[in-house]
Amino acid sequence: RSVQLKERDNPWTWEENKRFEVAIALHLATAPGDVPIASVVPWDLLCQRFPGRSVEELKLHLQKLSFDVMHIAIGNAKLPPYESSNEQPKREIIPNR
């Protein structure tokens, strides 16, 4: 069964996505700037923080996150229209791309 099909059956929640972003950011903070993101992440350790997710699912999610960040950085993505800077989205599922 492909990772993408597995991810479609078990979509990421908003909370999982936020925890993932924080975990990746923590690993990046201590990594040299010229090292690829995927090489600084201890995938097996990270997998323990996301029960039910495989290393392959985490790597695919990182690819999607990196793609999103790139498009936001170059201005090709619309950000959600929050009413205030303190408001966070309601519990939503991150759509598969």
Side-chain angles (χ1 to χ4, degrees), residues 11-64:
W12 288 70
T13 63
W14 185 87
E15 290 86 359
E16 278 182 308
N17 193 56
K18 281 299 174 200
R19 283 192 358 243
F20 184 77
E21 289 175 3
V22 168
I24 294 298
L26 290 173
H27 291 292
L28 285 177
T30 59
D34 59 343
V35 176
I37 297 170
S39 68
V40 298
V41 176
W43 293 106
D44 291 334
L45 192 64
L46 193 60
C47 225
Q48 293 173 15
R49 296 182 64 187
F50 295 90
R53 302 275 180 201
S54 67
V55 169
E56 291 78 20
E57 284 178 281
L58 297 178
K59 287 180 178 182
L60 178 62
H61 200 65
L62 177 59
Q63 286 178 343
K64 291 178 179 182

